[in-house]
Structures are given as C-alpha cells and as structure tokens.
Amino acid sequence: NRPDCQFTFERDNYRFSGQLYCRFHLPMGRPGHGGKADWDEQQKVAISDGFINLINREGAEGSNPERTPEELDFSGIVVPGRLVMVQTTVGPVRLRGARFYERAEFMVTQFQGAAWFDEVQFHKDAWFSETQFLDDVWFPKAQFSERAAFIDTRFHGDATFEGVQFRKEAYFGVSTSTVPPEAKRFNAISFKDSRFAEIADFSNREFHNRTDFTGCVFERAPNFHGSALHQNTIFGQIDGFRDLTSPVSERAYRTLRQAMEAHRARVEEGMFYALEQKARRHRVSRIDPAYWVSLGYEHGSDYGLSVWRPLAWMLGGIVSSVFLLWCIGIGVFGVTGHAAANPAAVINDAL
C-alpha cells in the first residue's frame, strides 16, 4: 500500500494510474480503467460491510471502561455502494476527504467522540436523521450532491458547516413538536460561506449560541418557521438571498424579520423587511398601484436600506431644477451671450 495508508492490515493491493491502493482507498475511476467502477455489486457491498465492521469492532473494544477509545481514521475512504449504519455507536472518527457514491445512512447513530467530515463528498442522499453528536462535529467544505437530512439530529457540541455545498435539499429542522427539547437544540453552529441551492429547512429549532450565516448564498428562501434564533446570530449581505419569486419567499422573510425585530437587530430587520417587500411585489399585478408604489420605494431608497439613493435623487433634483430655470430664463427673457454662460445670473433675474 501507499506509505500514507492507515489500513496497514490490508494485504490486497490494487493498481490504479500507476499507484498501489488498498481496497478502501482505491478510487472509483471510470469503467474500464481499473477502479471501483469496474467492480461487481458484491465487491462494492464488501467495502460498506468492512467499514461497518471496523466501527463495530472498535465499539466493542471501547466498551471496556479502562480503555480510552481510539480515533478511527477513515480519511480518503471510497465507498462505492450503499452504506446503511443504523443504531450504531461510534467513537471519535475522522472521514476527511471520504467519498460516498451511493446513499449513505447514519440514522439513529450515536457519535460519542469528535467527528470530522471535512471535505467529504456525498454523491447521493446523506441521512443523519435522529443521530446524536455528543461532541463537536465538523463538515467544512463538504459536498452534498443530493439531499442532506439532519432531521431531529441532536448536536450536543458545536457544529461547523463552513464552505459546504448543498446542491439539493438540506433539512436541519425538527419533524414534530413532541420531540425532547434537547433534540431541538443547536449550540454554536456555523454555516459561513456555504451555498444552499434548494430548500434550506431550519424549522422548529432552538439556537442557543453563536450562529453564523455570513457569506451564505440561499438560492431559495430559507425556512425558519417556529425557530428561536439566538441574539448572536449573524447573517450575510442581502444579495446572498436570491429567491424573490417562490410562493414561500414572502412568508420566509417575514419570519426572519420578526425574529430580528425581537432582538432589536435593526440592520438585519431592515434587510429582511426589504426582501419581504420585494417578494410581495412579485406577487402583485402591474396594474395594481401598490406595485408601482413599492417599485418607487425600492428605487428611491431600497426600502430604507440605502442612504445614498435619496441623496442622489435630491442632488439630481437640484441640478435638474437649476437647469430648468436656466432654460426658462433663456426662453422667457431672451438671455444670450454672456448671461447665458452665467446661469446664476439668469436665476436671479428670473426670480
């Protein structure tokens, strides 16, 4: 195996692009190039089973109270088939750069130590519903190509989802009001610089510590209905909220405006008010006077967000008035020559 391979117990080697790999690290590749894309279903299932067996073995050994659980290192593992890990206990685990090419299920699983999923790639659905993270969890620069489900997931420690790509739906909400209070709780959590291409659902959650959405891009209006936001919640700029036309956008922004109003966060309140009004205008017919009043409000001051727009309009009005009076002076009083070159004199004469 390669010197950096942590699976020293693996004896079978596979050659791919001039390098040797163990069965866990062998890349997927394209069909006909010697990677896992050429494997049959039984071989693919064996990787998923081997992954689970290693976790179960460490879990059995870690049940000894005199033994400190070791960190399981699955960095760089390539799982070509479906992974179903349900009601499993996992100690500290590292999956940096792991690749899951089929549906990956970690449902009703308990991560008892820190969990690193940095730069992991899920090519199909990733399900962490009803899972418990008893320690901190990291997903920086992870990629979810299909649905990401963290429904009723319990985060007992801090959670980091910075720079994550959610290309489909992302569910972080709570399914019902009957779940225990700890299932609703978020401690410090960060989605800084992440992108949500579809639904972003944070409904019925309780944010109990710093919450960071700076630099986030929401292609659809995020759902925070029923949630309680912490006063140390940070959102990015208004251009990160791209959705103004979907049927749910107006209500979604109204919920966020009310949450910011409750915390007296005037800047964020104003931003979500502007988004709410823009979304409402897209639902109003152009023959309705309310449409044109709203449009004028946007162009005049961006719904109160812009200081420069009113100043620009006022300055433009002054310049236009001076020019108009100058033209009136020329037309009415026949001002020519030297006087025409001095509009101030014309204005004085006209007045």
Side-chain angles (χ1 to χ4, degrees):
N1 297 343
R2 297 188 308 174
D4 59 345
C5 179
Q6 67 270 36
F7 301 109
T8 55
F9 52 84
E10 288 291 317
R11 300 305 178 198
D12 294 332
N13 293 323
Y14 300 84
R15 185 170 295 277
F16 181 85
S17 295
Q19 296 189 44
L20 290 177
Y21 295 88
C22 72
R23 61 175 181 143
F24 288 112
H25 282 145
L26 179 66
M28 195 70 173
R30 291 179 297 172
H33 286 74
K36 285 176 181 168
D38 295 327
W39 284 14
D40 58 31
E41 193 62 29
Q42 185 176 0
Q43 289 175 298
K44 293 179 180 179
V45 170
I47 296 296
S48 300
D49 291 343
F51 177 85
I52 295 173
N53 289 338
L54 288 173
I55 289 178
N56 289 336
R57 186 178 69 183
E58 176 60 27
E61 295 176 355
S63 61
N64 183 351
E66 298 180 357
R67 179 179 179 274
T68 302
E70 295 183 4
E71 178 188 298
L72 285 171
D73 188 2
F74 290 100
S75 297
I77 189 174
V78 178
V79 182
R82 182 175 178 179
L83 177 70
V84 180
M85 197 170 74
V86 179
Q87 295 183 335
T88 304
T89 299
V90 185
V93 63
R94 187 180 298 273
L95 290 118
R96 178 182 175 85
R99 306 288 188 270
F100 296 89
Y101 282 88
E102 294 296 334
R103 181 183 173 114
E105 299 181 20
F106 298 87
M107 298 175 63
V108 202
T109 292
Q110 188 179 85
F111 290 85
Q112 296 185 333
W116 289 268
F117 290 85
D118 39 327
E119 299 183 20
V120 68
Q121 293 184 13
F122 294 98
H123 292 261
K124 298 294 183 180
D125 290 352
W127 287 82
F128 290 85
S129 297
E130 298 184 60
T131 290
Q132 293 191 57
F133 293 100
L134 301 186
D135 206 329
D136 296 343
V137 58
W138 290 268
F139 281 86
K141 297 184 179 180
Q143 297 183 32
F144 294 87
S145 297
E146 297 292 337
R147 288 176 296 180
F150 292 84
I151 303 169
D152 297 343
T153 302
R154 304 185 189 186
F155 296 89
H156 295 264
D158 297 344
T160 300
F161 290 85
E162 296 182 355
V164 176
Q165 295 289 324
F166 296 98
R167 295 192 173 93
K168 294 293 183 179
E169 300 92 336
Y171 298 102
F172 286 87
V174 174
S175 57
T176 66
S177 59
T178 58
V179 299
E182 60 269 20
K184 300 179 180 181
R185 182 186 182 100
F186 277 142
N187 291 308
I189 188 167
S190 176
F191 292 91
K192 183 178 179 181
D193 297 328
S194 293
R195 179 178 178 271
F196 298 86
E198 293 289 343
I199 294 172
D201 182 17
F202 299 93
S203 58
N204 302 312
R205 282 287 189 178
E206 295 178 1
F207 296 81
H208 285 260
N209 210 321
R210 177 184 170 89
T211 305
D212 192 347
F213 288 99
T214 56
C216 279
V217 173
F218 295 94
E219 298 293 345
R220 293 192 61 179
N223 178 10
F224 284 85
H225 298 319
S227 292
L229 293 177
H230 190 261
Q231 60 265 34
N232 193 8
T233 299
I234 310 170
F235 286 99
Q237 300 299 315
I238 192 170
D239 56 3
F241 297 87
R242 308 285 177 81
D243 181 19
L244 299 175
T245 58
S246 71
V248 301
S249 59
E250 181 185 351
R251 295 190 299 274
Y253 297 134
R254 181 170 63 240
T255 294
L256 286 169
R257 172 180 60 80
Q258 292 171 343
M260 294 297 99
E261 180 183 8
H263 290 305
R264 303 296 190 268
R266 300 307 182 194
V267 174
E268 289 81 3
E269 178 190 353
M271 179 179 71
F272 289 117
Y273 172 76
L275 288 166
E276 178 188 359
Q277 296 304 311
K278 292 177 182 180
R280 177 177 299 173
R281 192 181 73 238
H282 280 82
R283 298 174 55 244
V284 176
S285 171
R286 293 197 175 191
I287 62 174
D288 190 332
Y291 175 91
W292 298 103
V293 171
S294 178
L295 185 64
Y297 192 8
E298 178 181 3
H299 287 302
S301 67
D302 199 13
Y303 297 98
L305 295 181
S306 176
V307 175
W308 297 107
R309 287 191 189 182
L311 290 176
W313 280 106
M314 183 176 68
L315 204 55
I318 293 174
V319 172
S320 299
S321 298
V322 169
F323 180 75
L324 181 61
L325 289 173
W326 183 28
C327 293
I328 292 175
I330 293 174
V332 174
F333 300 104
V335 180
T336 60
H338 177 71
N342 292 273
V346 174
I347 296 172
N348 290 330
D349 291 339
L351 295 176

